[in-house]
Amino acid sequence: MEAGEILVRKGLLTPQQLQLARRHQTEGKRLDQAAVGMGLVSEEDALRALGEELGIEYIDLSEATIDPSILKNFPVKFIYRESLFPIREENGRLLVATSDPFNLYPLDELATATGKTVVPVLASQAEIAKLIKTYLGVGGETIEELMAQGEEEESAVELLDEIETDGSELSKLAQEPSVVRLVNEILLEAIDLRASDVHLESQPSGLKIRYRIDGVLHPQPVPPEINRFHAAIISRLKIMARLNIAERRLPQDGRIQLRVAGREVDVRVSVIPMIHGEGIVLRLLDKGAMEFDLRKLGMEQDVYEKFRELIQLPHGILLVTGPTGSGKTTTLYSALLEIRDESIKIITTEDPVEYQLEGINQIQVHPKIGLTFAHSLRSILRHDPDVILVGEIRDLETAENAIQASLTGHLVFSTLHTNDAAGAYTRLVDMGVEPFLVSSTVEAVMAQRLVRTLCPECKEPYRPRPEELPKDFPREILEQGVTLYRAVGCRACRHVGYRGRVGIFELLVTSERIRELAHDRASSWVIRQTAIEEGMITLRQDAWRKVLSGRTTIEEIERVTRAEEH
């Protein structure tokens, strides 16, 4: 009996839906798959129904116990070509997952190859693919083909720049269809997992791949055979980034522009020679996935309202501070889009321009040809702006130009690398800026960090014991018997327990008292204590607010911030 008729008989499809699915059925696709693709029925329900009819059990692979030792002697071609995955052995019978209950020929072939009784069980296609990636690593299928020199296949990754090669042997190997697909798979998997960086590291044991997801590095399983193609993978990435593939002794930087599933992705490439070969880090900027909205950054209502007032000031300097990767650029872009209007001219000078914003004039600095932040800032002032964003204040010249711009009636946004908000005043003075200029122009400093947010699907409520809490946790709240949440891990978050990130913020507004202290070269500690007395919520206090609202965990706050001395 055909799949569609079984689904109608089981009440999962109406005859009309069956006709509709038939019309959308493409060659080589089963009717139940067409119905699943159209959203008429879930894959699990369809497979359960087909399994009942054909006498094959359906199992949820995310709950199943897998015995990885079977993989050692399992013919890999069945995994990749037929999407079969061995689960475990019971009484001499080999349990094998398949998503196609109608194609049992490969199972007979497998029984012959292994000499075992093969018992099929049904499982979803996506779950089988996930198992293959988990146990055999990203790109395993392509490696199988590389070993067998398989045929070319269309790729979902499209390069937006033309590639130039030098015709050398290595560049020919790097252009092999399978090597191209292998590199594309590494990139696709990273984008799929929302990774911000891909680390390809040359270790004594071979190539190691790690993805940074929500600020934390996660090792990616790869098949050991990938080491044979180590040089080809590195050369392919260098060719894509228009770097010199013959140069292996000096660091190189480049960029790749891709289109993946209709979205533009900008990849910054950094290659550094290490003792076991070159290490590559790819910074992925997924333009389609970015959203710059001040409301959604995680500011509590009081901080949001105050910051919104500040970004509408007519002149002065607003600084955002924090380490690399703490979301400073996102905060500043969101602020610019909040105030963007036809009546004001906004110009930015950045290194590099990470995202292109509509209605905002952006300059890419080029220090090699003398276009530095300081030099571009002098030119910007002749361009009649109202609001200026300087990517980063790195030196005295840039600082003085930013101050000059604010004194001539412009609102200036910029970033600094300091640990807290109070440190920004002393950092500028240390650079050589006159204290009276710092105190009269800096209107406010926002320090920030990013913490991972709990996965909404699996977070678990619990009542903490007092001894489990850090010393500076707000005790008075505890006495009221507060419920906190902890990370568990499930399929939706890939068993990490967290999904996505949210900002924690410390907003120090320059009051008259703070201006006096900055003018008198007071230490950052004195400025910080004064700000706290005047009501500033510190990073750590803001972090506890995120814990109490169930968005993150104590462990995550401990990882990202330091305990405060009382």
Side-chain angles (χ1 to χ4, degrees):
M1 186 182 274
E2 182 244 14
E5 291 166 21
I6 295 172
L7 296 183
V8 170
R9 211 154 45 75
K10 296 272 182 190
L12 293 173
L13 288 183
T14 63
Q16 290 79 4
Q17 288 174 323
L18 177 63
Q19 291 310 319
L20 197 60
R22 281 215 170 101
R23 281 205 291 278
H24 284 80
Q25 189 179 6
T26 51
E27 203 180 329
K29 204 174 203 181
R30 299 197 316 269
L31 206 128
D32 57 303
Q33 290 172 330
V36 168
M38 292 168 70
L40 301 174
V41 61
S42 77
E43 186 181 12
E44 183 177 334
D45 289 346
L47 286 176
R48 275 186 195 280
L50 296 175
E52 273 173 31
E53 186 70 26
L54 301 165
I56 305 173
E57 187 193 350
Y58 174 87
I59 64 165
D60 183 346
L61 286 184
S62 64
E63 310 290 330
T65 318
I66 310 292
D67 178 3
S69 63
I70 303 175
L71 284 167
K72 286 196 191 90
N73 305 316
F74 194 85
V76 182
K77 65 176 183 183
F78 288 101
I79 294 179
Y80 291 125
R81 281 194 209 144
E82 312 292 350
S83 279
L84 300 178
F85 197 89
I87 294 172
R88 58 181 175 272
E89 216 174 313
E90 289 173 352
N91 316 322
R93 300 176 338 141
L94 186 61
L95 231 62
V96 176
T98 175
S99 63
D100 189 347
F102 294 98
N103 184 15
L104 301 178
Y105 174 70
L107 294 162
D108 296 337
E109 219 183 322
L110 179 60
T112 311
T114 57
K116 293 192 171 95
T117 308
V118 173
V119 179
V121 287
L122 282 182
S124 98
Q125 220 166 348
E127 289 297 334
I128 293 176
K130 213 178 272 183
L131 276 188
I132 294 173
K133 278 213 173 95
T134 305
Y135 287 98
L136 295 161
V138 61
E141 185 171 2
T142 313
I143 284 171
E144 273 292 294
E145 286 191 20
L146 266 170
M147 312 274 282
Q149 283 309 315
E151 72 292 340
E152 188 172 355
E153 198 176 286
E154 232 177 277
S155 163
V157 176
E158 180 192 342
L159 274 173
L160 299 182
D161 287 335
E162 283 301 308
I163 272 183
E164 296 164 15
T165 64
D166 58 5
S168 66
E169 195 56 45
L170 194 54
S171 78
K172 282 180 192 156
L173 177 61
Q175 297 304 89
E176 284 284 340
S178 296
V179 174
V180 170
R181 268 188 53 207
L182 182 54
V183 169
N184 287 354
E185 272 188 52
I186 291 169
L187 290 168
L188 276 171
E189 178 79 349
I191 292 162
D192 191 38
L193 295 176
R194 302 175 302 106
S196 59
D197 302 81
V198 179
H199 293 239
L200 292 106
E201 298 161 330
S202 300
Q203 302 288 345
S205 55
L207 185 67
K208 183 176 177 186
I209 299 180
R210 295 194 284 172
Y211 292 160
R212 190 178 293 283
I213 303 165
D214 293 332
V216 178
L217 280 170
H218 296 271
Q220 194 59 23
V222 289
E225 294 84 5
I226 203 168
N227 294 325
R228 286 210 209 167
F229 311 99
H230 188 160
I233 291 168
I234 287 175
S235 300
R236 168 66 184 165
L237 284 164
K238 282 182 165 182
I239 289 168
M240 288 166 81
R242 297 165 165 262
L243 301 176
N244 178 0
I245 67 166
E247 179 54 79
R248 292 187 209 152
R249 297 162 304 166
L250 292 172
Q252 297 187 69
D253 292 307
R255 68 185 287 201
I256 306 168
Q257 287 179 290
L258 306 171
R259 187 176 287 119
V260 179
R263 294 211 310 257
E264 280 193 25
V265 179
D266 207 355
V267 183
R268 299 275 147 72
V269 183
S270 168
V271 186
I272 298 182
M274 310 271 181
I275 56 171
H276 295 292
E278 288 169 302
I280 295 192
V281 173
L282 310 171
R283 160 62 60 94
L284 306 176
L285 299 171
D286 185 349
K287 296 175 180 179
M290 267 320 279
E291 188 181 12
F292 299 110
D293 184 342
L294 210 51
R295 283 257 54 155
K296 294 181 182 171
L297 299 181
M299 291 179 200
E300 302 293 328
Q301 192 60 27
D302 52 349
V303 176
Y304 170 75
E305 283 169 11
K306 189 72 216 160
F307 188 65
R308 212 171 168 283
E309 277 172 36
L310 289 162
I311 61 178
Q312 292 174 349
L313 288 173
H315 53 80
I317 296 178
L318 291 178
L319 296 171
V320 179
T321 78
T324 307
S326 59
K328 301 188 294 292
T329 306
T330 306
T331 299
L332 288 174
Y333 277 2
S334 304
L336 291 181
L337 292 183
E338 186 90 359
I339 59 172
R340 175 180 62 181
D341 188 80
E342 288 298 327
S343 61
I344 60 171
K345 174 135 181 163
I346 302 173
I347 306 182
T348 77
T349 172
E350 305 168 63
D351 181 22
V353 172
E354 291 194 359
Y355 296 94
Q356 291 161 25
L357 305 175
E358 183 65 37
I360 289 169
N361 306 278
Q362 294 168 282
I363 299 170
Q364 166 81 52
V365 304
H366 282 291
K368 281 182 187 165
I369 56 167
L371 182 60
T372 58
F373 279 130
H375 186 241
S376 61
L377 200 42
R378 283 198 296 275
S379 307
I380 286 172
L381 290 177
R382 295 195 286 273
H383 224 76
D384 187 29
D386 297 291
V387 177
I388 301 165
L389 164 67
V390 183
E392 190 186 335
I393 295 179
R394 293 176 185 166
D395 52 38
L396 176 61
E397 198 184 355
T398 310
E400 284 179 337
N401 285 343
I403 281 169
Q404 204 49 52
S406 77
L407 290 171
T408 51
H410 303 89
L411 181 60
V412 180
F413 291 98
S414 192
T415 69
L416 266 181
H417 281 277
T418 63
N419 284 329
D420 60 4
Y425 302 90
T426 48
R427 173 62 57 86
L428 289 171
V429 172
D430 289 345
M431 278 181 187
V433 180
E434 289 294 340
F436 75 89
L437 288 174
V438 174
S439 66
S440 60
T441 55
V442 176
E443 294 296 335
V445 185
M446 169 90 92
Q448 70 175 76
R449 298 287 186 281
L450 291 174
V451 293
R452 292 182 295 168
T453 47
L454 281 161
C455 169
E457 304 287 325
C458 64
K459 66 179 185 179
E460 177 182 271
Y462 75 107
R463 285 284 172 89
R465 294 198 304 276
E467 62 272 18
E468 293 175 339
L469 296 166
K471 287 189 177 68
D472 61 337
F473 191 84
R475 296 273 151 183
E476 63 281 5
I477 297 166
L478 244 201
E479 284 148 25
Q480 300 158 18
V482 68
T483 300
L484 302 184
Y485 288 84
R486 58 183 156 212
V488 179
C490 66
R491 211 185 332 179
C493 60
R494 290 177 57 89
H495 303 283
V496 177
Y498 298 93
R499 185 175 171 81
R501 287 188 291 176
V502 70
I504 53 172
F505 302 92
E506 172 178 292
L507 180 58
L508 198 171
V509 180
T510 314
S511 62
E512 286 311 311
R513 182 88 187 89
I514 303 276
R515 282 193 206 284
E516 281 172 30
L517 291 171
H519 183 278
D520 299 341
R521 293 177 182 262
S523 72
S524 60
W525 190 85
V526 172
I527 292 175
R528 178 182 170 77
Q529 292 309 111
T530 306
I532 291 170
E533 283 163 26
E534 291 183 345
M536 178 182 83
I537 303 281
T538 66
L539 267 176
R540 188 89 166 173
Q541 288 166 344
D542 192 48
W544 294 139
R545 300 202 282 187
K546 305 285 187 293
V547 171
L548 292 166
S549 63
R551 278 188 278 180
T552 190
T553 61
I554 290 177
E555 292 73 25
E556 188 61 8
I557 301 307
E558 296 274 69
R559 182 180 73 82
V560 173
T561 63
R562 281 168 51 180
E564 288 177 349
E565 304 297 324
H566 283 291

